[in-house]
Amino acid sequence: MISSSVLVLNKSFLPVHVTSLKRAFILFYQGIAKAVDENYRTFSFDSWAGLSVIDGCNSIGLVNRIIRVPSVIILTNYDKLPRRYVKFSRANIFLRDKNKCQYCGKEFKKNDLNLDHVIPRMRGGVSSWENVVCSCIPCNRDKGGRTPEAAGMKLIRKPRKPGWSPYYHISLTNIMYKEWMPFLSIVDNAYWHVELDK
């Protein structure tokens, strides 16, 4: 139990990171954080310690009592998010382009789309936010190794790096708790979220 993980939120209830239970209890005991229950109520250490331990609830033994283990804590004074960059990944490119081919404008399932280099790599194009777009297989085949102009095709929208909130990219452990789900927006998936080579 002591090796379990706890989700840490800022004052706005946005995820900041995941920490160990030991570190969470230190923050909690020192008054730097409060526990958050399933009804979004917050508790100081003393008020949390006064709650009865119920069946099916994780708990830990202290010197003079047994206390419930919080799955989520909220920092009392921290209202910022750590600065993070938007990961250049397949999932984020598909999210930016809303699963639409950037040549024909039709929306597709992820499996029916691929990534296209606007300026092909064989012509000096790089793998970057400004040069990679979603493309359906027929449009990608028609474009081939040419630029859109050379292929007589037009981009629907010029590709650019998105400016999303950093909490979409919180680094998660393999352990997920149901209590975390209301605070998280995206489930990590290696194929879609791995950073692409530039």
Side-chain angles (χ1 to χ4, degrees), residues 84-101:
R84 297 190 188 192
Y85 68 99
V86 179
K87 195 187 308 181
F88 181 63
S89 68
R90 195 174 299 277
N92 286 339
I93 294 166
F94 280 51
L95 191 61
R96 177 198 68 186
D97 293 347
K98 299 178 180 152
N99 289 352
K100 288 183 181 176
C101 172

Side-chain angles (χ1 to χ4, degrees), residues 1-78:
M1 180 52 59
I2 198 68
S3 64
S4 63
S5 301
V6 177
L7 182 65
V8 181
L9 309 175
N10 70 6
K11 282 189 345 184
S12 300
F13 282 79
L14 295 174
V16 176
H17 67 276
V18 174
T19 193
S20 68
L21 179 61
K22 182 178 178 181
R23 177 72 179 141
F25 262 112
I26 291 169
L27 296 171
F28 190 25
Y29 183 76
Q30 291 176 339
I32 296 169
K34 292 183 175 186
V36 179
D37 74 357
E38 61 279 355
N39 296 314
Y40 309 106
R41 295 177 299 183
T42 60
F43 297 84
S44 67
F45 183 82
D46 290 333
S47 61
W48 183 262
L51 295 176
S52 59
V53 177
I54 53 176
D55 288 338
C57 181
N58 292 330
S59 60
I60 192 165
L62 301 179
V63 175
N64 58 354
R65 66 183 122 176
I66 295 175
I67 187 171
R68 290 169 59 176
V69 171
S71 298
V72 181
I73 62 171
I74 186 167
L75 299 172
T76 55
N77 292 320
Y78 189 73

Side-chain angles (χ1 to χ4, degrees), residues 164-178:
W164 297 316
S165 300
Y167 65 85
Y168 281 106
H169 305 287
I170 188 168
S171 176
L172 299 175
T173 62
N174 291 331
I175 302 168
M176 296 284 290
Y177 299 101
K178 64 179 172 39

Side-chain angles (χ1 to χ4, degrees), residues 136-148:
C136 68
I137 295 166
C139 285
N140 192 273
R141 192 177 322 118
D142 290 346
K143 180 177 171 284
R146 301 174 288 177
T147 64

Side-chain angles (χ1 to χ4, degrees), residues 40 177-184:
Y40 309 106
Y177 299 101
K178 64 179 172 39
E179 294 87 357
W180 294 9
M181 297 318 292
F183 306 104
L184 302 177

